[in-house]
Amino acid sequence: MQFSSMIRASLPLGLLLLGACAQTAQRPASPAGDSIARLQIIAFNDFHGHIDTVGQTVLPPGAAADAPRTAAGGAIHFAQAVSRLRAENPNSAVVSAGDMISASPLISGHFLDEPTIRVMNTVGVDFNSVGNHEFDRGPDELRRMQTGGCTQFTRLQPCQVMSDFPGARFGFLAANVQQADGQTLFPAYGLKRFALAGGKTVTVGFVGVTLKGTPEIVAPSGVANLRFLDEAEAANSYVAALKQAGAEILVLLIHEGGYPGGEGDPGDCGSLSGPLPQIMARLDPAFDLVISGHTHQAYVCRYGTVDPSRPSLATSAGQYGTLLTRITLDYDVAAHRLVDKRAENVLVEQREEAAAAQPELTKLVARYRTAASSVSDRVVGKLAGSLTQIADASGQSTLGNFIADAQLASVQAPERGGAQLALMNPGGLRAPIAPLADGSVRFGDLYSAQPFGNVVLVKQLSGADIRAALEQQFTRGDRPSILSVSRGFSYEFDASRPAGARVFNIRLNGAALRDEGTYRVAMNNFIAQGGDGLRLFAPAPVLAEGPVDVDALEVYIASDSHRGPPALDRIRNVTPQ
């Protein structure tokens, strides 16, 4: 294993808390001192069903930005890395900060992420705080992930490969996800009690929250009749109950994150940007540790340097199971206080011996890989170059433009909807499409790029609606979220102009867009229902329903074997530099 720089935070005399899905670990106290119990939390986030090893690389923790990337991750190696850490300290808990499932590669996503849940059962995860992507298939399917069974709630058939899906043998947590009856969708918090020598115990509790903006980035059908409360307020509301439950160390699992200010671990949370620092500023000081996710970044930092009254650590382990965060907590059992805490991100190396050490998972992954291969290895056509979701200064990407063109083509004929243009959200572009040496493209590549199974719809919008949607790109979140547009549609923007006046010279097939005009616009059902904060699309009438997005992409590629990456000439950024 390779390790990043270690972050340590020694604590003053303090109190700590947590509680309600209780588990007990029957293990001896660690020999860190007569009264000191050394506990370990092994954390990860944004696994997204990456149970296979194909194409996963990561910059090793602590390496220079220009260092070679290392192959990492995959269920077998992930499990073996957890096993090695547990062997070093059996007083361990394994937790996830959300997005364990969905937006997954075909080997897991095509089977409704049942393979990933099975993997995590074998790994021995204790708790998962649900993230926004856990809601992609709706709350009923998410409940099935927890409780098991083969009831069908989606267009895909459950239990395709193995007929006895048991559900997660670990607890889902959702302290800020409220149902219509006021109850949380899943328990708000969970307890893990460590049994120590001499009959003593230490209780660590985990509160789980997801980002309150989940309804903005999930299809409305996925969050119907659910309320997403403020993260800090929800977490803080359980502090008293956790104390009463006997929790001695308090941990927040939060599917929201930040962005390191420089290369590698920032060390000081003052250099962390994004939503997480703002949440931590309002978090009850009783929380000692904040395990985060969502931004797919890797960091470990001290928040006490920002606010000494809140001396917590904040951690995040990147993405896709390529890293684990190893967190060490030294607890004085006699004094009932946490005396030291430190964390480091650990590389999940792909080692040859892992397969022999993890025979159950090796067979499980092989079984699903075989089941997926007949689907994923099928050649659908050829491309004259690679498509990437990396955006240029205007927000365009070759993958985004290509998919917008594919969706327009799928519903452009009058009998299919008569669409005049297409819009594609950047969050739906999940992976590049790289053809083989002979230009061949496999279905698995298309699925990786578009794993959500959205349907292409044609909606009727006014020119004013389209203009408003383009303006809204610059008012959602900390940074612009630029929609990809189809060939024949173009515009310019100046981000320095006042809100509402940033987009201009909007043209469709050479003619100026008329605010009073009516247009037929293709888009996936996610944004058609108001996802990504585009609520103005929701009430617009649906004129036609087209194919599933990945099927539209397959037909488009198959229709022309010489088609290559589209030019990035549809959106022009004229913001003064």
Side-chain angles (χ1 to χ4, degrees), residues 426-490:
L429 311 173
R430 305 305 295 190
I433 298 176
L436 302 176
D438 66 351
S440 296
V441 177
R442 296 168 298 187
F443 181 80
D445 300 318
L446 309 191
Y447 187 94
S448 296
Q450 289 196 283
F452 298 113
N454 289 321
V455 174
V456 180
L457 301 177
V458 180
K459 285 211 148 191
Q460 180 176 294
L461 298 174
S462 68
D465 291 334
I466 296 170
R467 183 186 300 275
L470 298 180
E471 288 286 351
Q472 193 176 339
Q473 297 173 123
F474 302 95
T475 59
R476 289 184 288 138
D478 297 335
R479 57 191 72 187
S481 181
I482 304 297
L483 295 164
S484 298
V485 301
S486 55
R487 183 184 291 109
F489 187 79
S490 63

Side-chain angles (χ1 to χ4, degrees), residues 18-40:
L18 322 222
C21 269
Q23 302 183 4
T24 301
Q26 300 292 336
R27 293 157 183 164
S30 302
D34 290 343
S35 65
I36 302 299
R38 177 158 291 171
L39 311 178
Q40 179 174 253

Side-chain angles (χ1 to χ4, degrees), residues 209 211 231-232 252-260 269 272-283 289-295 297 299-301 303 312-316 478:
V209 298
L211 67 155
E231 303 94 339
L252 178 64
L253 301 176
I254 178 169
H255 192 71
E256 181 60 288
Y259 298 92
C269 287
L272 202 66
S273 63
L276 185 63
Q278 301 168 35
I279 295 169
M280 294 182 70
R282 298 181 294 112
L283 201 60
L289 179 62
V290 176
I291 297 171
S292 65
H294 188 56
T295 58
Q297 302 294 303
Y299 51 80
V300 176
C301 67
Y303 192 74
S312 56
L313 286 180
T315 73
S316 181
D478 297 335

Side-chain angles (χ1 to χ4, degrees), residues 128-219:
N128 173 50
S129 178
V130 295
N132 57 286
H133 278 293
E134 265 90 357
F135 292 90
D136 284 340
R137 302 182 185 110
D140 289 335
E141 176 64 6
L142 181 54
R143 290 188 191 96
R144 189 181 75 88
M145 291 292 99
Q146 176 72 93
T147 61
C150 297
T151 303
Q152 186 168 359
F153 298 109
T154 73
R155 70 181 184 86
L156 289 174
Q157 177 66 44
C159 304
Q160 295 179 54
V161 178
M162 302 172 72
S163 61
D164 57 340
F165 178 59
R169 292 198 286 264
F170 49 91
F172 287 0
L173 304 179
N176 70 329
V177 183
Q178 199 173 78
Q179 302 177 97
D181 62 2
Q183 299 298 308
T184 56
L185 180 65
F186 296 108
Y189 59 92
L191 293 173
K192 176 126 183 174
R193 295 189 178 96
F194 293 93
L196 309 174
K200 297 179 179 179
T201 64
V202 177
T203 300
V204 179
F206 301 88
V207 179
V209 298
T210 188
L211 67 155
K212 67 179 179 181
T214 293
E216 305 291 328
I217 54 176
V218 173

Side-chain angles (χ1 to χ4, degrees), residues 457-461 465 518-519 521 536-544:
L457 301 177
V458 180
K459 285 211 148 191
Q460 180 176 294
L461 298 174
D465 291 334
T518 299
Y519 300 90
V521 184
L536 61 88
F537 289 161
V542 175
L543 303 179

Side-chain angles (χ1 to χ4, degrees), residues 76 80 351-360 362:
I76 297 164
Q80 187 63 7
R351 297 182 176 183
E352 290 185 7
E353 66 269 21
Q358 298 289 334
E360 181 181 349
T362 299

